[in-house]
Amino acid sequence: MGVRRARPCTLQRLMLSSANLALLHLQKQLRWRSHKKPISRSILCGLMLFTLGLISLLTGHFATDLDWYSQRLIMTGALYFRLKGGHYAPINIWKSTSSKFYYGCSNRSSHFTYAVHEQFSDRYLLIATSGGLNQQRTGISDAVVVARILNATLVIPQLDHHSLWKDDSDFESVFDVDWFISFLAKDVTIVKRVPDKVMRSMEKPPYTMRVPRKSTTQYYLEMVLPILKRRRVVQLTKFDYRLANNLDDELQKLRCRVNYHALRFTEPIQELGQKLVMRMRKLANRFIAVHLRFEPDMLAFSGCYYGGGDKERAELAKIRSHWPTLPPLSPDGEGKRGRCPFTPEEMGLMLRALGFRNDTYLYVASGEIYGGKKTLQPLKDLFPNFYTKEMLANEELRPFLSFSSRLAAIDYIVCDESDVFVTNNNGNMAKILAGRRRYMGHKRTIRPNAKKLRSLFMMRQKMDWDTFAMKVKSCQRGFMGEPEEMRPGRGDFHEFPSSCICRKPHKDYVEDRNNTLVHNSQWDSIPLP
């Protein structure tokens, strides 16, 4: 049995008592010397140094003990951070053991006033989103919040028809527009178009402007609101990530209500997405969804190199030439910074090293893979139970094939419903889904620790499999979607919606003999600290 560690309060009393004894001894020495002969300077300095050393020693023990207790408090949060015999405990790769203690909470508070009714509005906000489906989703969520800040009526946002994907889908083709309007009615008034009488009364066409990225609430109030008051209708273009990451908690919760509740896909998209989920469930009780961004344009934008020689360099350089404003990038530098998407083979190796067996079922969400079947084959060899939406739905997929946003929406549904979601990059879909899965119960979401894993993959052939697997597990601590990874101010809010995650408080926690948490209290709701 180990020696029982003294409590910090006991050490503190011991420290103070010892220090006091030392000082009393010094005082006695001084009084005694005053009757005899003056104390020498060297003796006095020695006594003072001894006293300071004793205090420092005891203070160090006290600080160490405080650190030990604080670490115990952190480690009791989940099996994931617990130490057993000096080693980290195994990770439950399918489910977080502490997710049951957290839940999504985004209800509006009683002091969050109702929206101004449209018939009394003299301000209309037009929004032109930018990018693919999930990039546009962030723009839509932020547009609702900006309309609230400006006390304006929001016109249904326009989706991007001119981006790389060339999808001419409108908002109502992808999202349930009536649900969107009704769900947010108390927060923001939303209309399908500017009323004709308002347009006829305007002396000039709507004012168009582009705000800087990550603009603050104050920026909108000082720079946009005066123009909106004067012109009545303002359009904000290229609207993606144009709102600051950190906002008042009530506005953050509004972001969550939009993203996780109001933005519901249309019935045809929803039905097909759920069919694919059911078909995966029939094949296996649980499955992994892999979001694989390895399209030619993705690799060209990344500036990375994957060993394809002059052919690869020429092909990707040709794609990059379509965007002359792209800065020159160093492939080695981007790799070291963790900005290069993992190859399908690297994704397979990481999953196998974490402990997923080769009979695990994979749903792979991807576009056109650079290198085609040859590039995908190593992943299929590692996980033969490999499925895509094209494999699960043949003729049913035909009506959606010309619309990249609707195809992305189907992938989004299956990835959201999967037991484990993993991505080879940290793009828009990865961030949006990571945030949603945290909000919806902290379903296991794995994000590769790209900086550390990159160098590990380069050394793969110089170590045996057990060593490689052990190092992968070590690299991935803190990147497995545990609730404890959430903290206010970390990363992008759409990925880490900390204001919308609540923890169930406890009066007491006890640990069973398996070192898992057992609660012994009544639950209430408090925000995540």
Side-chain angles (χ1 to χ4, degrees):
M1 294 179 64
V3 177
R4 184 176 179 180
R5 187 181 287 267
R7 292 182 178 275
C9 56
T10 304
L11 287 174
Q12 187 180 26
R13 287 196 297 270
L14 177 62
M15 179 192 78
L16 293 173
S17 299
S18 301
N20 287 334
L21 286 172
L23 290 172
L24 284 171
H25 179 71
L26 178 61
Q27 289 175 355
K28 287 179 180 179
Q29 288 292 325
L30 290 172
R31 283 199 298 269
W32 181 79
R33 289 285 180 182
S34 66
H35 295 293
K36 301 293 179 180
K37 52 183 174 180
I39 189 169
S40 70
R41 182 173 295 181
S42 61
I43 294 175
L44 180 61
C45 290
L47 287 170
M48 291 179 66
L49 288 171
F50 171 78
T51 304
L52 290 172
L54 181 62
I55 292 172
S56 176
L57 175 65
L58 292 170
T59 304
H61 281 299
F62 180 50
T64 302
D65 215 71
L66 278 179
D67 181 66
W68 184 85
Y69 271 92
S70 66
Q71 290 300 318
R72 282 292 298 168
L73 287 173
I74 293 171
M75 285 189 283
T76 54
L79 179 67
Y80 177 75
F81 289 99
R82 194 181 313 284
L83 289 169
K84 282 185 178 179
H87 300 285
Y88 282 100
I91 297 172
N92 184 332
I93 54 178
W94 286 101
K95 186 178 182 180
S96 166
T97 56
S98 59
S99 61
K100 59 192 171 194
F101 304 123
Y102 300 84
Y103 65 98
C105 54
S106 62
N107 290 340
R108 61 201 311 276
S109 69
S110 57
H111 64 267
F112 198 64
T113 57
Y114 282 12
V116 175
H117 290 301
E118 195 265 331
Q119 57 264 36
F120 302 111
S121 177
D122 60 350
R123 307 169 195 170
Y124 290 85
L125 185 65
L126 301 172
I127 295 290
T129 61
S130 178
L133 174 67
N134 292 286
Q135 188 173 340
Q136 293 181 88
R137 192 179 185 111
T138 64
I140 294 166
S141 300
D142 289 350
V144 173
V145 178
V146 169
R148 173 77 191 196
I149 292 169
L150 298 174
N151 199 20
T153 294
L154 177 66
V155 180
I156 288 293
Q158 300 172 5
L159 299 190
D160 187 354
H161 297 164
H162 306 290
S163 67
L164 179 70
W165 292 270
K166 298 291 187 297
D167 188 334
D168 60 0
S169 296
D170 294 320
F171 187 98
E172 55 268 26
S173 304
V174 180
F175 300 107
D176 185 334
V177 64
D178 294 325
W179 170 261
F180 181 75
I181 292 171
S182 63
F183 187 89
L184 296 169
K186 292 181 179 179
D187 298 310
V188 175
T189 299
I190 304 173
V191 296
K192 294 182 179 179
R193 60 191 183 93
V194 179
D196 291 338
K197 63 179 181 180
V198 174
M199 294 298 291
R200 288 195 298 267
S201 68
M202 291 172 58
E203 296 179 359
K204 297 179 180 179
Y207 186 86
T208 299
M209 63 184 297
R210 185 185 301 180
V211 299
R213 290 225 165 173
K214 305 294 184 182
S215 293
T216 63
T217 299
Q218 200 63 26
Y219 179 91
Y220 282 99
L221 292 174
E222 293 178 357
M223 305 302 293
V224 181
L225 183 58
I227 299 172
L228 186 59
K229 284 181 176 179
R230 188 170 65 250
R231 300 292 293 268
R232 296 190 67 186
V233 181
V234 168
Q235 182 181 49
L236 303 181
T237 62
K238 285 281 185 181
F239 201 80
D240 59 337
Y241 297 101
R242 304 288 164 174
L243 184 60
N245 195 50
N246 298 317
L247 301 173
D248 171 81
D249 273 355
E250 287 299 324
L251 294 179
Q252 299 286 52
K253 288 180 182 293
L254 176 55
R255 262 176 167 164
C256 294
R257 289 198 292 278
V258 180
N259 205 350
Y260 308 137
H261 297 284
L263 281 173
R264 187 165 72 181
F265 293 120
T266 58
E267 193 171 330
I269 293 173
Q270 194 69 33
E271 283 183 357
L272 183 54
Q274 289 299 330
K275 279 183 181 179
L276 300 193
V277 173
M278 290 173 62
R279 287 168 189 172
M280 287 300 298
R281 294 283 179 214
K282 285 182 180 179
L283 293 167
N285 290 330
R286 54 191 186 185
F287 69 94
I288 301 175
V290 179
H291 181 226
L292 200 57
R293 288 300 311 273
F294 210 71
E295 300 92 341
D297 62 279
M298 177 69 178
L299 302 189
F301 276 119
S302 73
C304 300
Y305 174 67
Y306 290 93
D310 292 339
K311 181 176 181 290
E312 177 187 318
R313 292 189 181 94
E315 289 174 345
L316 298 185
K318 184 178 179 181
I319 297 173
R320 284 181 67 84
S321 67
H322 296 159
W323 290 273
T325 57
L326 287 177
L329 297 171
S330 163
D332 289 339
E334 294 303 291
K336 289 177 181 177
R337 285 188 284 271
R339 295 178 181 175
C340 293
F342 282 13
T343 67
E345 181 179 17
E346 290 169 338
M347 290 295 289
L349 288 171
M350 182 190 74
L351 290 172
R352 289 296 300 275
L354 286 173
F356 293 103
R357 304 186 327 183
N358 71 337
D359 60 353
T360 302
Y361 279 72
L362 259 59
Y363 176 88
V364 178
S366 70
E368 175 195 357
I369 297 295
Y370 181 71
K373 293 180 179 179
K374 183 180 178 181
T375 304
L376 274 177
Q377 193 58 48
L379 178 59
K380 290 183 177 180
D381 292 340
L382 289 164
F383 292 96
N385 298 314
F386 178 105
Y387 292 88
T388 64
K389 57 182 174 293
E390 290 80 9
M391 296 168 67
L392 294 169
N394 195 350
E395 289 300 315
E396 297 161 298
L397 206 59
R398 190 178 297 277
F400 303 93
L401 291 177
S402 301
F403 307 100
S404 60
S405 291
R406 300 178 213 187
L407 291 173
I410 292 167
D411 276 336
Y412 180 100
I413 292 169
V414 184
C415 290
D416 182 39
E417 294 285 345
S418 65
D419 298 277
V420 174
F421 173 66
V422 60
T423 177
N424 72 328
N425 77 107
N426 203 31
N428 294 302
M429 182 169 173
K431 289 178 180 178
I432 288 287
L433 267 169
R436 177 179 174 83
R437 288 171 66 87
R438 289 185 173 100
Y439 181 84
M440 294 297 181
H442 282 281
K443 292 184 285 186
R444 177 64 77 208
T445 303
I446 301 173
R447 180 167 58 95
N449 184 352
K451 286 184 181 179
K452 290 187 176 180
L453 288 178
R454 176 60 57 197
S455 58
L456 188 58
F457 283 131
M458 292 176 68
M459 300 291 290
R460 167 72 188 93
Q461 301 303 323
K462 298 181 180 179
M463 64 185 79
D464 60 55
W465 175 256
D466 289 340
T467 302
F468 175 74
M470 180 186 67
K471 289 181 178 292
V472 168
K473 290 185 179 80
S474 177
C475 288
Q476 281 302 114
R477 290 192 180 97
F479 291 80
M480 297 292 287
E482 289 289 332
E484 289 79 8
E485 295 171 20
M486 290 281 295
R487 59 180 181 271
R490 179 184 180 183
D492 187 89
F493 182 78
H494 294 289
E495 184 178 4
F496 297 99
S498 56
S499 301
C500 304
I501 306 292
C502 287
R503 184 183 62 195
K504 299 172 182 176
H506 54 278
K507 294 178 182 176
D508 185 31
Y509 275 125
V510 294
E511 296 180 18
D512 66 12
R513 61 184 60 183
N514 294 320
N515 281 339
T516 55
L517 290 179
V518 179
H519 71 275
N520 185 22
S521 64
Q522 297 290 325
W523 297 120
D524 297 308
S525 300
I526 62 173
L528 183 70

